[in-house]
Amino acid sequence: MHGRLNSVFIVAFSLFASASSLGCLSTAYDPVGEPPYVAEAELHITTRDGSLFEGGPMDIRLMENGGPTAQALISARADDGRVWSAVMGLSLDQVSGATVELRHEPLSEGAGTVSFGEAEAPQHVESGTLSFSLESGRTVRGVADISPQDASAEFEGRYNLSCWVRPESLGQPRNGEGVGVEQIQDAEFASPFCSPMAHLR
């Protein structure tokens, strides 16, 4: 199934302001907008003070023409409207599990950001780490050790994994040059770039 990765949502993280539009999914996520809710929450985040945040599954996207190579998004909301969101930049080796450094800077492999608090003005976490591991049955577990401490959290739930490649990687005509080239979804993980990660689907 082919699809154009277009700029549907505007990312509220300032770290994405200078990122290229398609090279790293910078316009694909809206971590402080409406989380990807489903009928029953698929991800549960519990902060150190006992607050519960719920949302859709952790979303992991592999990008053949991306920088970073992969991005992972967590987006959840508490009953009182507060949000807890994280975006991580990953290498292929880090997709199944990693510890990333949290910082308020442009996204790169091995680094990420967390936003926490009121939906209208979430606080960007300035330091800390976020660790996660993918487990059987498309499940994920992780922990965020953050300053300020009230944003520290444990999370568990499900994840989704998708892989996006240059058209020629699936035998399709090339459609441009550079980081702005359209990428199409390799739903079957059949391309050389995606196939090593097919076991995580």
Side-chain angles (χ1 to χ4, degrees), residues 13-15 87 89 100-115 124-130 146:
F13 287 128
S14 61
L15 67 92
V87 180
V100 300
E101 176 188 356
L102 300 176
R103 58 191 188 210
H104 195 184
E105 296 179 9
L107 201 61
S108 60
E109 292 181 358
T113 187
V114 164
S115 183
H124 295 285
V125 170
E126 297 293 341
S127 63
T129 59
L130 192 155
I146 295 171

Side-chain angles (χ1 to χ4, degrees), residues 5 22-25 61-66 68-70 164 183 193:
L5 185 62
L22 289 171
C24 66
L25 290 182
R61 299 188 186 187
L62 313 178
M63 298 291 293
E64 183 178 30
N65 198 36
T69 306
W164 300 79
Q183 299 199 46
F193 175 76

